Amino acid sequence: MAATMKAVVVHEPGPPDVLAIEDRSVPEPREDWILIRVKAFGLNRSEIFTRQGHSPSVSFPRVLGIEALGVVEHSPDPAFRPGDVVATAMGGMGRAFDGGYAEFVQVPAAQVKHFPDTLDWATLGALPEMIQTAWGALHTGLRAAGEGTLLIRGGTTSVGLAAAVLARRHGLKVIATTRDPARRSLLIDNGADDVIVDTGTIAEAARAAVPGGVDYVLELVGTGTLMDSLACVRQGGRLCMAGIVGHEWVLENFAPMFTLPKGVDLTAYVGGADDFVATPHDAFVEEVEAGRARVPMGPVFEMDGIAEAHRVMESNEARGKVVVLP
């Protein structure tokens, strides 16, 4: 095994250019942790916020990355053998300890799972956190039954695209939103039954499409559209907030008694390491292999393109999951 590795290190908060590729020592084996040779890692918006300095618990320098996919290099746990294809996500990666933006990453064994190896590395690398978030938002956050209508606010995000695929397989009718009319075909091709162009207020259009209101809303834009999204939901329906692509975290001057619609549930979903391990990634890969589902892929970069990869994600140009191959 090599003594050094390439890693993407952030020494201080800032724009994408602060992502510096450096030579670092490969982590020394430690008890109950698994060393993984990274073959691919997906990018996530939370990593933008950390890079910008908006994560107060994160100290620098830090190797970012809340997920990674690769092969086991060293494991004290007999359940994982060298050469096994595995994935890991959450659990403090890229925040409490160095994450997946590297040629090797070492993580607690409890947040590692075996992963199918029947697709190429880039496609597999898109799946760990994206499918975990989409699956968890639908089944834990929304507790969506296999019928009714789901509105995805922020439909062209990687999680939004993945949620559309999963929701259609689950039996839901899907309406997705986009601010760009030119992306309508992207959403329809990805499984949406209908598309609403998001002008900032869509409740009237949503209720025109579904009289009485939709059954479920997956809110991926943030608090800036939250109240309008709640107005799309029928009485007895549910909204789950699971993303903040609009960069607005806090709902100002929130008066629940006067602003929340009657009889509409409001919840949120933020998955952890346990949720990641429990996500049925194998079943989704089988659906992809059988041609019954597709992976919403964005551009694929090599590690030396990490700054450009962040720019693409941050500017909402990706049209799918951005993946890096170390």
Side-chain angles (χ1 to χ4, degrees):
M1 184 179 70
T4 62
M5 66 177 184
K6 298 292 185 183
V8 179
V9 185
V10 176
H11 288 271
E12 60 182 10
D17 290 340
V18 302
L19 297 162
I21 299 175
E22 299 178 2
D23 289 322
R24 281 201 157 194
S25 297
V26 174
E28 291 288 335
R30 56 188 294 188
E31 186 177 0
D32 298 326
W33 287 52
I34 294 177
L35 181 64
I36 300 168
R37 182 186 294 268
V38 178
K39 294 294 186 178
F41 58 85
L43 301 193
N44 298 276
R45 287 188 172 271
S46 65
E47 294 150 7
I48 295 176
F49 302 140
T50 301
R51 189 204 77 218
Q52 293 173 335
H54 301 314
S55 300
S57 63
V58 176
S59 60
F60 297 102
R62 176 63 69 217
V63 176
L64 303 185
I66 66 170
E67 64 175 311
L69 178 132
V71 296
V72 173
E73 186 75 18
H74 174 80
S75 172
D77 186 336
F80 298 97
R81 298 175 298 176
D84 285 355
V85 176
V86 295
T88 183
M90 309 301 290
M93 287 181 66
R95 300 173 63 83
F97 56 89
D98 285 340
Y101 286 21
E103 292 179 318
F104 291 88
V105 65
Q106 189 164 234
V107 299
Q111 66 183 71
V112 179
K113 65 186 292 185
H114 289 98
F115 220 74
D117 61 357
T118 50
L119 304 175
D120 61 271
W121 289 122
T123 304
L124 289 173
L127 300 178
E129 175 60 12
M130 178 177 66
I131 298 303
Q132 184 273 132
T133 301
W135 179 271
L138 289 172
H139 294 279
T140 301
L142 288 171
R143 302 189 297 281
E147 58 182 14
T149 300
L150 168 69
L151 172 66
I152 303 175
R153 189 82 179 255
T156 59
T157 62
S158 61
V159 171
L161 293 167
V165 172
L166 294 173
R168 280 292 298 274
R169 295 298 303 162
H170 195 56
L172 294 166
K173 178 182 177 181
V174 177
I175 301 173
T177 73
T178 176
R179 294 179 298 171
D180 183 358
R183 295 191 174 186
R184 176 182 177 86
S185 60
L186 169 68
L187 295 171
I188 295 296
D189 291 345
N190 199 71
D193 297 282
D194 197 4
V195 174
I196 294 176
V197 176
D198 194 340
T199 61
T201 54
I202 64 166
E204 183 176 348
R207 287 183 172 269
V210 183
V214 301
D215 300 284
Y216 310 103
V217 171
L218 176 55
E219 174 61 72
L220 298 171
V221 176
T223 58
T225 56
L226 179 61
M227 300 314 302
D228 183 61
S229 292
L230 280 167
C232 300
V233 187
R234 66 166 176 83
Q235 189 170 331
R238 189 171 297 116
L239 181 149
C240 175
M241 185 170 172
I244 319 176
V245 299
H247 305 292
E248 295 186 44
W249 297 57
V250 178
L251 193 62
E252 300 288 350
N253 301 317
F254 179 50
M257 289 292 291
F258 302 103
T259 55
L260 289 177
K262 179 174 62 177
V264 173
D265 294 343
L266 171 61
T267 184
Y269 179 77
V270 179
D274 291 345
D275 301 290
F276 164 72
V277 172
T279 300
H281 290 94
D282 287 11
F284 182 78
V285 171
E286 290 175 3
E287 293 286 288
V288 173
E289 292 175 316
R292 294 188 295 266
R294 61 188 296 270
V295 179
M297 292 291 297
V300 178
F301 294 86
E302 295 184 354
M303 190 181 287
D304 60 6
I306 186 66
E308 179 61 21
H310 260 241
R311 290 189 189 96
V312 168
M313 177 172 60
E314 195 167 354
S315 62
N316 300 319
E317 299 172 8
R319 304 170 72 91
K321 182 75 171 185
V322 180
V323 176
V324 176
L325 302 178

